[in-house]
Amino acid sequence: MPLKSYGVLVGRPVDRRVGSGKNPHYQIHVVDETTDYRIAVNVKSQESPSEVEYLIDDRFAHPLLTPLAELDFGWHVLPARPGGVAIDLIRANVADRDDFVPLPFNVAGPDNDLNEKVDAQIQRAMGDEDAVLYAFGERWGPEKVKDKIFGFLPGNGVHDIHMNQGNVARFAKDDGVWQDGALLIHYPTQNQWVAIFLKFQSQTWHTDDRTGHRLGEEIEPQGELPSAENPDGIVRIVAALVNSKKTPEVESVTLVNASPTDVSLAGWSLADKDKKRFSLKGTIAAGASLQVKIAKPMELSNNGGIISLLNDDGLKVDGVSYTKQQAANPGWTIVF
């Protein structure tokens, strides 16, 4: 069963507490125009390995940012489906699995644990009066008691600020697609977005496209070489022409076989942001590139989008995203 109330809170951070204790959470006090909230961010996993994997992207760009920036302050329930602002770490192509790094929550010394990595970003946001925080996860409250950390009344908050799919058995009830947690921070005056993504090492990267349940029972080692069981990166999307000068438009995606062997593309497909697929065929030689001309039903929008490469088992091999700004110049190929 997916999360009961998935959405995004838009507000300003005004206080924080670093995580401590047996089940530590980094806590953030956020306010909108009328209400106080507490954002509870896991900095340690209850499952082994206990170190949470994190990715901080301080130049985050993605087509979801345009509609996200238009949201008013407060809590917004999000439909768990593609094409909107809901986040799916796997399907929305917001992050690369190999960019995640496991880190303990509390280690002696400066800037070397997860508390400190998150705290640096939140303190920067607290010090900028124009900064806006977007917290994706599950809502709780309002409660009839004061918040146990910051003392405001009524208690309100958001948790599950992490990947919410591919869980081990006792947490599989929270699995779902298009419902992953995250923290995004917008600095309008600098035209900058910072993204904080979190994932437990016990979660698998490849999940069922309907339920979000794990595919396979093994923990997927970070940075392992691509294989039939771990197809990530065997073939890469390296470029795309999404805004052609020709009428009608002729769109294309360029692939590179990064592996040392030829790869058959029989049964493989490319998919757009609405999950419309274009079937592939033929073989791409080891180390070779291949320009694929796209046809309907797949479409590459000039307003920004995502492109995913799926193998014959339907597993994502690679994925990229591009913004409206990148697609603005007709005839130019976007290089990823």
Side-chain angles (χ1 to χ4, degrees), residues 322-334:
Y322 63 93
T323 65
K324 181 178 181 179
Q325 290 73 24
Q326 288 177 295
N329 298 315
W332 282 85
T333 295
I334 301 170

Side-chain angles (χ1 to χ4, degrees), residues 63-97:
L64 71 83
L65 297 180
T66 299
L68 187 65
E70 296 174 354
L71 295 180
D72 295 330
F73 275 25
W75 171 254
H76 300 266
V77 176
L78 298 178
R81 61 171 182 253
V85 299
I87 289 180
D88 188 306
L89 290 181
I90 303 168
R91 295 162 184 84
N93 299 342
V94 296
D96 189 318
R97 184 183 77 166

Side-chain angles (χ1 to χ4, degrees), residues 80-118:
R81 61 171 182 253
V85 299
I87 289 180
D88 188 306
L89 290 181
I90 303 168
R91 295 162 184 84
N93 299 342
V94 296
D96 189 318
R97 184 183 77 166
D98 287 336
D99 289 337
F100 283 82
V101 177
L103 202 63
F105 81 97
N106 188 13
V107 177
D111 194 30
N112 60 358
D113 59 50
L114 192 52
N115 265 325
E116 292 168 329
K117 297 294 185 182
V118 176

Side-chain angles (χ1 to χ4, degrees), residues 32 34 80 139 327:
D32 62 16
T34 60
R139 170 79 183 272

Side-chain angles (χ1 to χ4, degrees), residues 140-157:
W140 84 76
E143 300 171 324
K144 295 181 180 180
V145 296
K146 290 183 178 181
D147 181 77
K148 66 180 183 180
I149 302 296
F150 298 109
F152 54 78
L153 183 69
N156 265 302

Side-chain angles (χ1 to χ4, degrees), residues 200-236:
F200 300 125
Q201 293 186 67
S202 57
Q203 294 172 313
T204 56
W205 189 250
H206 295 290
T207 65
D208 184 272
D209 210 26
R210 296 174 298 104
T211 66
H213 292 329
R214 57 197 298 125
L215 296 176
E217 292 302 319
E218 297 300 321
I219 296 176
E220 299 177 8
Q222 181 198 33
E224 67 177 13
L225 290 175
S227 65
E229 294 74 25
N230 171 42
D232 301 54
I234 289 178
V235 179
R236 294 281 188 177

